[in-house]
Amino acid sequence: MEETLASSRRPKRGRPPKPRDNDFVTGEEFEDEEGEDYEEGLQAPARSKRKREASAAAAAALEDLTLIDIVKHNGRMISHAVKRLVEDYESKPKSVIFQILAMFFEACGARHDIYENDLDEADVDDTVFKLVELSRKGLVEDNYNSKQKGLKNFKENLVSFWDSLVLECQNGPLFDDILFQKIKDFVVALSCTPPRVYRQVASLVGLQLVTSFISVAKTLSGQRETTQRQLNAEKKKHSDGPLIESLNKRLSLTHENITYLEELMRKIFSGLFMHRYRDVDPEIRMSCIKSLGIWVVSYPSLFLQDIYLKYLGWTLNDKNAGVRRTSILALQSLYDVDDNIPSLGLFTERFYSRMIQLADDIDISVAVSAIGLIKQLLRHQLLSDDDLGPLYDLLIDEPPMIRRAIGELVYDHLIAQNIKTSSGARDGDSESSEVHIGRMLQILREFSDDPVLSSYVIDDIWEDMKAMKDWKCIISMLLDETPLSELTDMDGTNLVRMLRASAKKAVGERIVPATDNRKLYYNKSQKEILENSKRDITNALMKRYPQLLRKYIPDKAKISPLIDMMTLLKLEMYSLKRQEQNFKAAIDLIVDAFFKHGDKDTLRSSIKAIAFCCTECQADLQDYAENKLKNLEDELVLKVKTAIKEVEAGDDEYSLLVNLKRLHELQLLKPVKNDGLFEDMYRILSRLREMDNEVKSLLIINMYLEVAWCLHAVNDQNPSETSIDELLSKQSSLFEQLYYFLVVLPTYQKEGRSTTVLSCRVCIITAEMWCLFKKSKYSSTRLESLGYLPQLDVVQKFWKLCAQQLNISDETEDEDANEEYIEDTNRDAVMIAAAKLLLADTISKDYLGPEIVSHYVSHGASTTEIIKHLITALKKNADNDIAALFFEALRRAFERYMAHLNEGENQNLIGKSYSECQDLANRLAGYYVGAARNKNKSEILKIIQCGVPFAFVDLPKQLSFLEAALVPFVSKLPSADIPDIMTDVQKRAQDNNLNEDSSAWRPYFTFVQHLREKHAKNEVLPEEKEEKPVKRRGRPRKVREEPARNLFEEHNSSDEESVSDSDQRGHGGDDDDDDDAFNQPLINTFRPSASKLRSLKVSQQGTSSQKKAPKASGSNS
C-alpha cells in the first residue's frame, strides 16, 4: 500500500469518519488534501504541508494494521481498508482473497497457520477441517462472545466490513464469479461445523452478505426499470440505432447481474439458513429469523413466497421465547405492508391458529407481541370474530402487559372498529364519544354481575379510549340528555361504574390491584396532568353532581359509585367558582343516602365522602361538612338506642341491624361519644340470646370499636382513674360476651352464613382484644391494670372455634364470596388473627403454635401461605424452639389421624388425614435444604429423637408415625448419624414379637429399611449456601395442545446439532413445581367468568361483513 489514502479516495463519496487516534488525519483533512501535483498557478494553503504529513501518517498506520485489527479495534478505518482492498484486487486478486478469508478465519477465533498458497492448492473442505482441528486443540479465541471492553464493537464492525465490501465491489469484483463465490463457499462450510463460535461468526457473516446483496439488487432493479423506460421511449422515436443497442446491452447486463445475485442468495439460504434456523444456539436461530424477516420485507420479489415464509411459521413453535418473539416481530413487519397481504393468504391460513395461541404464551413479551400481530390480522380482516373467543379471557389475565395489549386490541377491533378494506382504511377514532361508550357498554354487559371484572376490563381499555375521559358526554348519558340512545338499568349501572373507574384512573389512582404492591410515584409534569384531570372532572360535575345524586339515590347499585366521586373532586373550586349551594346540596343528598340505604358499600362511601369534605374543604364549606357529620352522628346514636328499645320490647330486629351497620362504618372512621350506648349494647346482647346472629356479630364489633377508641383516648403519661375504671369495665364486659360465645358456638346447631360471620367475628375480636391489652405491653406503667393474659383453657376454646371455621368447605366459601364483609369474616382472616397472637408474643406458643402449624397443608393455598409466612417469621427469632414446634405439630396432626382411625367410620377421612400428616412432614422437612441441613442438623436430630419414642408408645398402634412423619427428616441427615438412630429403633423393638402382627409392624420395617438405604449411600452434607426459594418470573404455565408441524412437505431437513421436534414444539422451560398452584393471583378465580366474552358480538357499523379466515386442511401450527 504505497499510495496515500487521499489519492485513493473516490469522488462523490461521503467523508470518512475521524479515526480515534491523534496520529490519523481527520476526514476534513482528507477532503482538503490536493496532492503533490496541485495546479501550479494556485497558492497552497499555509497548513497543506502539515496535512500532507498527517495523511501520510494515516496511510502508514493503515499499512501497519491487519484487517482483523481494524475489525476488532478500529471500526472507523473499515471504509478506507475496504477501498484499498478493492483497488488492490485488480492487480493482486489472490492476495486480496487471502487477506479477506484470513480475516474471516481470525474473526472466527482460529489461530491458523494457513498461507496464501494453501488456499490455492487445498479445497474448501480440507481448509475447514484444519480449522476444526484447531478448535479441538483449544487454539481458538472467542471474539464473538468476549466481554472485553476492546471488543464491544466487534460484531458491529464485522457486519460493517462485509456490507462495505459488497457495496464497494458492486461495480466490479462482485460479479467476477471468483471473489464472492470463494467467500460464500467458506462461509457456508464454516457455518456447518461443530464449534459454536465458528457457526456464530459464519452465520452472522452469511446473513449480512444476503442483506447486502439485496441492497445492491434493489439498486440494480431501479437501474433496470430506468433503462427499460429509456429503451421504450427510444423505440417510439427510432426502431434501430446505436443508442437502442447500447440500452439493450445495459438492460441485459443489469438483468444478468440481478440474476447472479439472486442465485448467490439462494445458495447461501440453502447452505446456511436452512440448517442454522434450527441450530442448538437460540441466538443463531434468532439472527436467522430476524434476517429472513428483513429479506422478505426489503426484497419481496424473491422472498415473499411460501417456500421462505414457512420458516417464520415453524419458528412460532420454537422452545426459546426469544426466537418465538423474533418470528412474531418479523411477521408484524410483513403484515404492516398492505401490498404483501394478497401473497400471505396461504401462510395465514396455515398459521393463524398458532398466532392466536401465542397470545396466551408463557412468556409475557411473546404474548404481547402476538397480540399486536393479531391486531394487524384483524385490521386486514384475516380473522373472524369466532377465532377471538380465547383472547377475550385475557382481559382479566394477571400480567398487566397482557391485559393492556388485549385492551388495545378490543378497543381497536370492537369499539373503534378500525379496519382496512379495498376502498381504504377506516378510522373509528373520528366517531362520537357516545357511539364508543355505547359499544363499551355492550362489552360491560357480559360482566354486569361482577364489578371486579368490570374494573379489569375498564382498566385494560382506558388508555386507548378517549371517550372514557369525555366527562360531559358520560354525565349527559346518565341524565338521559342524549337523543341517540336510551340506557337500560344494567347499562346505567355499568356507566356509573365506568365513570368512577375512569375518574380514578384520570387522577392517578389504581382501580385494580397492583401485582407488585408498589406505591405510585409521579414527577412534576405528571402531577400537573393529574391536577388538570381533577380540575376537568370537577368542572364537569360541579353543577350536575346534585342532579345525578338526586336521580339515582333510590338505586343502591348506582348511588355508591356516584358518592365515591366526591373524593375525586377538587373541592376548593366550589368556593372559587361560587358554587357553594351545589356543594351543600350534594352533601345533603349524601347524608340522605346514608340513612336511606343499609348496604356496606353505600354506607362506607357516604362516610368517606363526608369525612373527605371535612378535611379538604375551605372555610364555610368545611364548617358545613363538619356540622353535617356531627348531626349525622347524633341522629345515628339516637336511632340505635331507639332500635334497641324496640327490640327489647319485642319488635322486629331489622332497624337495629341496619343502624348497627351504620354505626360500625362510622366507628371505623372516628369515635362516637355518647354515654350509655356501650351499656345498652351489652345489655341487649346479654339478655336476648336468641337474636339473629348477624345482629350479635354487629353488636360485638361495635362494642370492640368503642373499647379500642376509649383505649386510644387514655393519656399514657397521666391517665385519670375514672377513664381507667371505665375502660376496665368495658373490657370486662366485652370479654364476658366473647368467652360466652367461645363456649356456645362450637356446639351451635344452626348453620348458615350468619353463624359463620358470628364465629369469625368472635375469633378475630378475641385475638384483637388479647393483642390490644397484652400484659407485657402495660407492665411497669401507669396502665398496668389494663394488662391481660388469657388462661390456657380459654386459649384452647378459642382455637377450637378457630379450627371449626378452618374446616368450612371451599364450596361454602365460594357460595358466600359476594356476601358483605366476606373479606373480614373468612377462614383466612381467622388464621391471620391466630398467627398474630404468636408473632406479637401475646400468649404462650407452646399450645397455639403447634396447633396452627399442624394445619399447614389442610385448608388450601391461602391458608398454607399464611402459615408459611408465620414459620418464616418464627425462625428469625433465635429464642423460638423450632424443633419442638415442628415435632408437636406433627404429633397433633398424627393424633387427628389416629382419632379418625379409631372411629373407623369414614375411610376417605382416614386416608385424607394420613395424607395430610405425610404432606405436613414433607413441608416441614423442606425447610432443611442446602446449607440449612448442616446448620440446623441438631434440630432435625431433635425432631427424630422426640418422634421415635412417641412412635413406640402403645405398641404397635403408633408405629405408622415413623413412616408418615419421620422419614422425610431422616432423608435430610448425613449417613454418619444414621447408625445411632437405627440402634435406638432396633433396641426399642427387640423385646417384642415382630411376627405376631406383621401388618401392624410394617411401618417399622419400612423405616428400618429406609435407614439402611440412607446409610448405604454414605452421604456427606456439602458446604453450600442456603438455598432461597426463587420466585419464577413470567406467567404461570398452562397445559396446551401440541400443534402439528407437518405443514409443508419441504420441512424435512436435518442437522447434527438441530433442535429436536419436541423442543421446537415446546413453549419453554420445565414443568412447574407443585408450589406454583399456591402462587396463583386472586384474579385467576375470576377467569371462568370471562368466557362470556366469547359470545360477544358487536356489529361492524359502516363496514362490510368480516371475512372468515379459511380453515386449514389438516392441523394448524
Side-chain angles (χ1 to χ4, degrees):
M1 294 185 180
E2 294 85 0
E3 300 174 8
T4 65
L5 286 175
S7 63
S8 68
R9 190 168 37 81
R10 292 191 177 189
K12 299 182 181 179
R13 300 282 292 184
R15 297 178 182 178
K18 299 178 183 178
R20 295 177 183 175
D21 297 332
N22 294 330
D23 295 338
F24 301 153
V25 297
T26 65
E28 294 178 357
E29 290 169 337
F30 277 122
E31 190 77 8
D32 294 336
E33 178 63 30
E34 300 294 338
E36 295 288 344
D37 53 350
Y38 191 75
E39 188 175 343
E40 295 181 0
L42 290 175
Q43 177 66 39
R47 297 176 57 192
S48 62
K49 182 177 180 181
R50 186 161 63 250
K51 291 181 180 179
R52 285 195 298 273
E53 291 174 353
S55 178
L62 186 62
E63 185 75 27
D64 294 339
L65 291 173
T66 63
L67 281 180
I68 191 62
D69 289 333
I70 292 173
V71 170
K72 283 183 177 181
H73 310 295
N74 293 277
R76 295 187 179 185
M77 299 297 295
I78 287 176
S79 60
H80 302 299
V82 168
K83 290 173 186 176
R84 179 58 54 83
L85 286 172
V86 174
E87 289 177 353
D88 290 348
Y89 183 77
E90 297 177 3
S91 58
K92 298 178 289 186
K94 291 184 179 180
S95 173
V96 171
I97 292 174
F98 172 73
Q99 290 180 58
I100 293 173
L101 291 178
M103 184 279 295
F104 175 52
F105 300 153
E106 290 164 359
C108 291
R111 303 171 188 171
H112 65 88
D113 54 356
I114 300 173
Y115 300 99
E116 184 177 333
N117 294 332
D118 296 338
L119 292 179
D120 284 340
E121 297 171 0
D123 61 9
V124 174
D125 291 341
D126 292 339
T127 303
V128 170
F129 181 78
K130 289 181 181 179
L131 294 174
V132 172
E133 284 297 314
L134 291 174
S135 173
R136 289 175 181 168
K137 295 176 182 178
L139 301 176
V140 172
E141 181 182 2
D142 191 351
N143 300 313
Y144 187 89
N145 300 299
S146 175
K147 301 297 183 183
Q148 295 180 23
K149 187 176 181 180
L151 294 174
K152 65 179 181 179
N153 296 321
F154 173 73
K155 296 178 189 177
E156 179 184 344
N157 292 343
L158 186 62
V159 168
S160 175
F161 172 83
W162 291 101
D163 185 50
S164 300
L165 182 63
V166 172
L167 296 178
E168 197 69 31
C169 292
Q170 63 181 314
N171 295 320
L174 179 57
F175 303 103
D176 69 354
D177 207 27
I178 298 175
L179 174 60
F180 281 92
Q181 287 291 347
K182 195 81 169 177
I183 292 172
K184 181 261 297 179
D185 291 341
F186 276 100
V187 168
V188 170
L190 276 175
S191 72
C192 296
T193 55
R196 181 172 299 201
V197 65
Y198 288 2
R199 299 199 314 278
Q200 288 174 328
V201 175
S203 299
L204 181 68
V205 172
L207 297 172
Q208 179 56 43
L209 284 175
V210 175
T211 304
S212 301
F213 291 160
I214 288 174
S215 178
V216 175
K218 289 173 68 177
T219 302
L220 292 175
S221 296
Q223 293 175 359
R224 181 172 61 182
E225 292 176 3
T226 302
T227 304
Q228 185 66 59
R229 284 196 304 271
Q230 291 175 343
L231 181 61
N232 293 338
E234 283 298 320
K235 283 183 177 180
K236 290 179 180 179
K237 299 176 184 178
H238 309 286
S239 60
D240 198 4
L243 182 57
I244 292 178
E245 184 180 353
S246 173
L247 289 172
N248 276 324
K249 287 182 180 180
R250 189 194 307 172
L251 184 64
S252 176
L253 179 62
T254 305
H255 182 73
E256 289 176 3
N257 288 343
I258 293 174
T259 305
Y260 176 79
L261 286 177
E262 289 181 350
E263 186 60 27
L264 266 181
M265 294 181 216
R266 290 190 186 96
K267 288 181 178 179
I268 294 177
F269 187 91
S270 60
L272 187 150
F273 181 94
M274 287 178 61
H275 298 287
R276 298 282 66 80
Y277 91 95
R278 51 196 182 90
D279 193 280
V280 71
D281 186 350
E283 185 177 343
I284 294 178
R285 304 203 298 275
M286 273 191 284
S287 60
C288 286
I289 297 304
K290 182 179 179 180
S291 297
L292 179 58
I294 295 171
W295 302 342
V296 177
V297 173
S298 58
Y299 203 59
S301 61
L302 175 63
F303 289 103
L304 189 58
Q305 304 177 55
D306 289 334
I307 59 172
Y308 300 108
L309 294 175
K310 64 185 180 183
Y311 297 101
L312 296 178
W314 284 337
T315 48
L316 292 174
N317 295 295
D318 196 278
K319 70 175 182 178
N320 183 271
V323 180
R324 297 198 300 276
R325 184 170 183 269
T326 302
S327 180
I328 294 170
L329 295 177
L331 290 175
Q332 284 184 352
S333 63
L334 289 187
Y335 284 100
D336 202 38
V337 181
D338 293 345
D339 293 339
N340 293 341
I341 302 304
S343 301
L344 291 168
L346 179 59
F347 176 84
T348 305
E349 176 185 339
R350 294 291 181 94
F351 292 103
Y352 79 93
S353 61
R354 178 60 184 149
M355 297 176 198
I356 293 174
Q357 290 175 5
L358 284 172
D360 201 17
D361 194 86
I362 184 175
D363 185 87
I364 295 176
S365 63
V366 173
V368 171
S369 300
I371 293 167
L373 176 59
I374 292 169
K375 190 169 74 170
Q376 288 179 301
L377 296 179
L378 288 169
R379 284 198 171 191
H380 292 292
Q381 295 181 282
L382 296 174
L383 293 178
S384 68
D385 283 341
D386 293 337
D387 298 321
L388 302 180
L391 294 183
Y392 294 136
D393 288 349
L394 300 180
L395 279 170
I396 54 170
D397 209 328
E398 55 279 1
M401 291 177 65
I402 302 291
R403 294 192 290 102
R404 179 72 187 83
I406 288 291
E408 187 177 335
L409 183 148
V410 169
Y411 171 76
D412 197 66
H413 180 60
L414 295 179
I415 298 175
Q417 297 181 0
N418 294 323
I419 59 174
K420 292 183 178 180
T421 63
S422 57
S423 59
R426 178 179 178 277
D427 184 12
D429 290 329
S430 60
E431 295 174 319
S432 69
S433 296
E434 188 177 351
V435 173
H436 284 190
I437 291 172
R439 292 172 184 163
M440 181 67 181
L441 292 176
Q442 284 183 262
I443 296 173
L444 292 177
R445 284 174 196 163
E446 304 297 330
F447 303 96
S448 57
D449 295 334
D450 198 326
V452 176
L453 294 185
S454 297
S455 297
Y456 271 82
V457 176
I458 293 168
D459 185 66
D460 300 339
I461 301 175
W462 188 84
E463 291 286 347
D464 300 291
M465 188 171 168
K466 294 179 181 178
M468 268 201 242
K469 280 84 86 178
D470 191 341
W471 315 115
K472 292 183 179 179
C473 178
I474 296 175
I475 294 169
S476 296
M477 292 179 71
L478 285 171
L479 293 174
D480 296 329
E481 296 175 350
T482 55
L484 294 181
S485 61
E486 201 169 312
L487 294 178
T488 64
D489 184 65
M490 181 187 299
D491 287 343
T493 301
N494 287 329
L495 187 55
V496 169
R497 290 173 181 167
M498 189 173 77
L499 173 63
R500 176 183 60 180
S502 182
K504 280 188 173 183
K505 290 278 291 180
V507 300
E509 294 185 18
R510 289 191 176 108
I511 61 174
V512 298
T515 55
D516 53 7
N517 295 322
R518 292 182 182 176
K519 187 177 179 181
L520 292 171
Y521 290 98
Y522 299 103
N523 57 35
K524 185 177 179 180
S525 61
Q526 289 172 329
K527 288 178 180 177
E528 289 178 0
I529 294 173
L530 298 179
E531 280 297 309
N532 290 334
S533 297
K534 184 176 284 192
R535 191 175 289 108
D536 292 340
I537 296 169
T538 307
N539 278 327
L541 272 176
M542 192 176 293
K543 297 179 181 179
R544 319 296 290 280
Y545 194 34
Q547 298 176 37
L548 288 172
L549 292 172
R550 194 173 290 111
K551 178 178 179 179
Y552 292 109
I553 199 169
D555 192 334
K556 71 175 183 179
K558 300 181 181 68
I559 193 62
S560 176
L562 282 175
I563 293 173
D564 284 338
M565 293 295 296
M566 177 65 83
T567 61
L568 306 176
L569 303 181
K570 201 171 180 65
L571 297 183
E572 59 264 30
M573 291 181 63
Y574 277 96
S575 299
L576 294 174
K577 300 210 170 187
R578 299 186 177 181
Q579 295 294 323
E580 291 87 350
Q581 292 304 315
N582 283 321
F583 173 82
K584 293 177 181 180
I587 287 288
D588 292 342
L589 289 166
I590 290 173
V591 172
D592 290 345
F594 179 79
F595 286 110
K596 189 179 290 288
H597 295 282
D599 61 291
K600 183 191 77 171
D601 291 338
T602 304
L603 299 178
R604 190 161 292 181
S605 298
S606 301
I607 291 296
K608 184 179 177 183
I610 298 171
F612 179 79
C613 294
C614 291
T615 56
E616 298 297 323
C617 285
Q618 298 177 348
D620 295 342
L621 295 185
Q622 186 176 33
D623 294 340
Y624 186 84
E626 289 175 350
N627 289 333
K628 275 292 177 182
L629 183 59
K630 180 66 172 66
N631 295 336
L632 179 148
E633 178 182 333
D634 295 340
E635 185 178 353
L636 178 59
V637 170
L638 182 60
K639 284 179 177 289
V640 173
K641 287 191 167 189
T642 303
I644 289 175
K645 292 177 181 178
E646 289 174 352
V647 172
E648 288 178 330
D651 288 349
D652 186 72
E653 298 171 3
Y654 178 75
S655 176
L656 178 59
L657 174 68
V658 172
N659 285 295
L660 286 173
K661 281 186 180 181
R662 293 169 181 152
L663 181 63
H664 173 220
E665 296 300 331
L666 183 59
Q667 285 204 98
L668 287 175
L669 181 72
K670 63 183 294 293
V672 176
K673 298 179 180 179
N674 187 275
D675 295 336
L677 183 59
F678 183 91
E679 288 72 17
D680 290 343
M681 291 189 288
Y682 168 76
R683 185 182 68 252
I684 191 173
L685 191 59
S686 303
R687 293 179 181 177
L688 301 179
R689 297 296 188 184
E690 298 302 319
M691 283 189 302
D692 184 78
N693 286 334
E694 191 174 2
V695 176
K696 295 176 187 175
S697 66
L698 285 167
L699 285 167
I700 291 173
I701 187 66
N702 277 295
M703 291 170 68
Y704 163 72
L705 289 172
E706 184 159 346
V707 170
W709 282 116
C710 286
L711 179 61
H712 182 264
V714 172
N715 189 338
D716 294 346
Q717 302 300 324
N718 189 22
S720 66
E721 292 294 331
T722 305
S723 61
I724 293 178
D725 291 342
E726 180 185 354
L727 183 54
L728 280 172
S729 174
K730 292 181 178 179
Q731 177 204 68
S732 175
S733 299
L734 183 54
F735 273 134
E736 177 189 333
Q737 296 302 319
L738 291 172
Y739 291 169
Y740 167 80
F741 287 112
L742 286 179
V743 175
V744 171
L745 286 175
T747 60
Y748 198 68
Q749 298 299 318
K750 185 178 178 181
E751 296 182 356
R753 173 64 186 160
S754 62
T755 304
T756 303
V757 170
L758 178 59
S759 300
C760 290
R761 288 287 191 203
V762 169
C763 292
I764 295 168
I765 293 173
T766 300
E768 291 293 337
M769 285 289 290
W770 288 345
C771 291
L772 206 58
F773 294 99
K774 184 172 68 171
K775 195 171 186 66
S776 59
K777 179 180 177 181
Y778 298 103
S779 59
S780 303
T781 68
R782 297 189 177 186
L783 301 177
E784 188 169 4
S785 59
L786 295 177
Y788 183 84
L789 180 65
Q791 299 297 317
L792 178 60
D793 63 324
V794 178
V795 176
Q796 290 172 340
K797 293 172 184 174
F798 163 80
W799 177 249
K800 184 178 180 181
L801 185 58
C802 289
Q804 191 179 69
Q805 303 314 301
L806 296 176
N807 288 323
I808 293 175
S809 65
D810 293 333
E811 292 77 10
T812 303
E813 285 223 330
D814 290 341
E815 291 172 4
D816 298 332
N818 295 322
E819 296 287 339
E820 287 186 331
Y821 305 109
I822 183 64
E823 68 276 7
D824 302 328
T825 55
N826 55 33
R827 63 186 177 196
D828 290 347
V830 171
M831 182 58 78
I832 291 171
K836 184 178 178 180
L837 292 173
L838 297 182
L839 294 178
D841 286 324
T842 304
I843 60 176
S844 173
K845 300 181 179 67
D846 296 341
Y847 170 77
L848 191 57
E851 286 288 356
I852 293 177
V853 175
S854 70
H855 288 78
Y856 195 174
V857 295
S858 303
H859 306 293
S862 56
T863 306
T864 298
E865 197 69 19
I866 294 167
I867 299 176
K868 182 173 77 172
H869 288 299
L870 171 65
I871 294 174
T872 303
L874 292 175
K875 284 174 69 69
K876 292 178 181 178
N877 189 341
D879 296 335
N880 293 323
D881 189 345
I882 300 299
L885 175 68
F886 283 4
F887 166 70
E888 280 297 316
L890 290 168
R891 184 178 67 82
R892 294 182 194 186
F894 184 78
E895 286 175 347
R896 287 199 296 271
Y897 157 69
M898 291 298 297
H900 293 311
L901 184 65
N902 293 333
E903 293 173 2
E905 296 179 359
N906 191 331
Q907 292 300 318
N908 290 333
L909 200 57
I910 294 172
K912 181 183 177 183
S913 59
Y914 185 77
S915 176
E916 287 177 355
C917 186
Q918 287 180 311
D919 292 344
L920 175 63
N922 287 321
R923 284 275 185 168
L924 297 182
Y927 282 92
Y928 302 106
V929 293
R933 294 168 64 182
N934 257 344
K935 181 180 177 182
N936 301 306
K937 188 177 77 171
S938 59
E939 291 184 8
I940 303 173
L941 285 172
K942 182 175 180 180
I943 293 170
I944 296 172
Q945 289 165 359
C946 293
V948 168
F950 173 75
F952 280 87
V953 173
D954 196 13
L955 286 173
K957 293 181 179 180
Q958 297 185 175
L959 285 176
S960 55
F961 186 78
L962 295 172
E963 185 179 7
L966 298 188
V967 166
F969 290 93
V970 169
S971 302
K972 303 298 181 183
L973 288 174
S975 298
D977 293 315
I978 300 300
D980 292 341
I981 299 173
M982 191 182 302
T983 301
D984 181 34
V985 171
Q986 290 175 337
K987 184 177 180 181
R988 292 176 184 275
Q990 65 184 3
D991 296 332
N992 296 277
N993 184 0
L994 306 186
N995 298 320
E996 182 179 349
D997 189 355
S998 57
S999 62
W1001 284 88
R1002 185 194 58 78
Y1004 165 79
F1005 293 122
T1006 303
F1007 186 70
V1008 171
Q1009 180 63 26
H1010 184 79
L1011 290 173
R1012 287 172 179 160
E1013 291 173 357
K1014 176 71 178 176
H1015 183 59
K1017 289 181 181 178
N1018 196 25
E1019 277 187 321
V1020 178
L1021 294 184
E1023 294 291 337
E1024 55 182 293
K1025 293 183 180 179
E1026 184 173 356
E1027 296 180 6
K1028 295 183 179 179
V1030 179
K1031 184 176 182 181
R1032 185 176 58 76
R1033 296 182 181 272
R1035 306 173 65 200
R1037 291 178 171 85
K1038 303 175 178 67
V1039 179
R1040 305 172 185 269
E1041 295 180 3
E1042 293 190 357
R1045 298 183 64 245
N1046 53 340
L1047 301 175
F1048 293 88
E1049 293 74 19
E1050 294 86 342
H1051 184 60
N1052 55 11
S1053 60
S1054 61
D1055 189 70
E1056 67 279 2
E1057 288 199 77
S1058 66
V1059 181
S1060 67
D1061 286 349
S1062 61
D1063 283 341
Q1064 289 212 25
R1065 284 195 297 268
H1067 302 152
D1070 301 319
D1071 292 334
D1072 283 336
D1073 295 328
D1074 294 337
D1075 289 348
D1076 281 350
F1078 298 131
N1079 296 327
Q1080 299 292 326
L1082 179 62
I1083 190 61
N1084 278 358
T1085 61
F1086 301 131
R1087 287 181 62 84
S1089 300
S1091 60
K1092 296 176 183 178
L1093 266 180
R1094 298 189 179 193
S1095 59
L1096 181 64
K1097 300 289 183 183
V1098 178
S1099 60
Q1100 301 284 353
Q1101 300 178 6
T1103 65
S1104 59
S1105 60
Q1106 281 204 337
K1107 174 183 175 183
K1108 298 281 184 179
K1111 299 298 180 184
S1113 57
S1115 302
N1116 293 318
S1117 281

